[in-house]
Amino acid sequence: MGYWGHFLRSSLALAGAALLLALPAQAKLQVLASIKPLALIAQEVVGDQADVITLLPVTASPHDYPLKMSDHKRLRSVDLVLWVGPELESFLARPLGNIAADKLITSYQLAGLHWPDEVASDHQHSNHKHSGKDPHIWLDPRNAVLISAVLATRLAQLQPESAAIFRANAQRFAAAVQLLDQQLAQQLASVKEVGFAVYHEGYGHFVGRYGLHQVAYVTYTPERRPGARHLQELREVLAKEGRCLFMEPYYKAQGMEVMAKTLNLQIGLLDPIGEQQVSSYQQLLQQLSQSFLTCLADRRDH
Ligand SMILES: [Zn+2]
């Protein structure tokens, strides 16, 4: 065999090796999470055994998002879709209607989820009806642990050779989150009695878990503008027992800063989906906790 023969053979061998190497990469499982918090949980479970894709850009509101053609394509091509449910991502209800049940985890429907007590919004006398329970379920760390366990089981069915890894990852995540949960409960105990209002009614799971004293919200969902009567009630309850008014990175209601100033309230910022430089689920919770601690702390003697 001459030079070219060797060249050809080694080239073919190389090409063959490259193909073999490429195959596992192409066959990697693809998990699509609707929003960043779910993607962060999924990332903990899959490790390097699968790819996690986040559908929504972090700057988008999960309550209302226009899907692009490329999004529809991705929804069809991935192995597993993890979302909260139509109660939060209503825009996904129709596109996901065509997807096989075994390719879908609807977190809102999982048995064993924890739900905040309904009394949290008793101070509100607005005339809107609560349509179901608070869908921001990832803000209770126990729910994140439940989602990770369900995800590990489902991934093990899809890729049995990685089952032990998925299970171990989920267990490690659960242990870390349980520890963090205890730490947050200790930290937040000092501000439990301090009244505050949130921008949108999306923190019930966190507020309920740590027994915080939410007295009102500005608007039910970010897209809805508060009415005059609601704003009047908000002002009254905050004047009586509020120290802090929490806004959100992408939503500004006119007049809120003015109201806060008039009532001598601190202004805080809450970021429920970890839009701001958060790279793990634990960080998302820590950041929320820090926001509460900072805004609710007593600063009168400073
Ligand atoms: Zn929300």
Side-chain angles (χ1 to χ4, degrees):
M1 199 183 303
Y3 171 77
W4 288 109
H6 280 291
F7 178 77
L8 200 63
R9 270 182 78 134
S10 49
S11 299
L12 283 174
L14 268 175
L19 195 67
L20 279 175
L21 283 172
L23 272 177
Q26 279 174 350
K28 222 175 188 184
L29 275 184
Q30 295 220 305
V31 180
L32 183 139
S34 57
I35 54 174
K36 185 172 174 183
L38 294 180
L40 293 174
I41 296 169
Q43 192 56 62
E44 299 278 345
V45 180
V46 306
D48 57 2
Q49 302 294 302
D51 291 326
V52 177
I53 305 163
T54 313
L55 181 66
L56 253 69
V58 285
T59 52
S61 164
H63 294 276
D64 181 29
Y65 176 73
L67 279 181
K68 298 192 286 275
M69 280 307 289
S70 56
D71 295 327
H72 285 282
K73 217 182 240 176
R74 286 201 292 184
L75 284 174
R76 284 192 302 268
S77 69
V78 296
D79 301 288
L80 188 60
V81 175
L82 174 65
W83 69 318
V84 173
E87 293 80 3
L88 183 76
E89 308 109 322
S90 55
F91 65 92
L92 274 178
R94 196 195 291 247
L96 290 181
N98 304 319
I99 284 183
D102 63 346
K103 276 186 64 178
L104 203 59
I105 296 178
T106 304
S107 310
Y108 190 89
Q109 290 169 0
L110 294 179
L113 280 178
H114 290 86
W115 299 97
D117 296 338
E118 296 295 323
V119 288
S121 296
D122 251 5
H123 290 273
Q124 299 289 330
H125 307 288
S126 55
N127 47 15
H128 83 256
K129 289 272 185 292
H130 282 244
S131 52
K133 295 173 281 187
D134 185 342
H136 306 75
I137 52 175
W138 66 91
L139 294 180
D140 185 327
R142 296 170 299 180
N143 291 340
V145 169
L146 176 70
I147 292 167
S148 73
V150 170
L151 188 58
T153 304
R154 190 69 75 82
L155 286 168
Q157 290 160 358
L158 289 170
Q159 191 166 287
E161 63 273 25
S162 306
I165 299 176
F166 294 138
R167 203 178 310 123
N169 287 348
Q171 281 167 357
R172 195 177 330 110
F173 176 66
V177 168
Q178 276 154 16
L179 186 65
L180 177 63
D181 183 38
Q182 289 166 15
Q183 290 167 347
L184 296 187
Q186 276 171 11
Q187 290 168 11
L188 290 165
S190 61
V191 295
K192 260 178 153 172
E193 315 294 327
V194 187
F196 62 89
V198 293
Y199 182 60
H200 97 286
E201 177 65 330
Y203 302 90
H205 284 273
F206 194 90
V207 165
R209 175 61 182 153
Y210 300 110
L212 302 176
H213 188 40
Q214 179 181 325
V215 297
Y217 54 79
V218 177
T219 178
Y220 190 60
T221 69
E223 289 71 26
R224 222 180 277 179
R225 274 178 167 267
R229 208 179 105 196
H230 178 82
L231 286 177
Q232 185 51 37
E233 287 166 0
L234 176 69
R235 176 186 289 274
E236 280 165 18
V237 71
L238 279 174
K240 224 186 298 170
E241 49 179 332
R243 184 179 292 164
C244 176
L245 174 61
F246 286 105
M247 304 303 288
E248 289 173 18
Y250 278 85
Y251 305 105
K252 291 270 183 285
Q254 285 183 340
M256 283 305 113
E257 277 87 355
V258 179
M259 180 193 287
K261 227 172 212 158
T262 320
L263 297 174
N264 199 21
L265 302 172
Q266 322 251 34
I267 291 190
L269 195 69
L270 291 178
D271 174 15
I273 55 175
E275 169 245 313
Q276 295 178 316
Q277 298 175 341
V278 157
S279 58
S280 73
Y281 174 76
Q282 289 95 314
Q283 269 181 28
L284 188 153
L285 284 191
Q286 279 164 336
Q287 194 182 68
L288 272 180
S289 175
Q290 197 51 53
S291 298
F292 278 108
L293 286 171
T294 306
C295 200
L296 298 178
D298 190 349
R299 294 188 193 156
R300 276 171 299 186
D301 44 42
H302 286 254

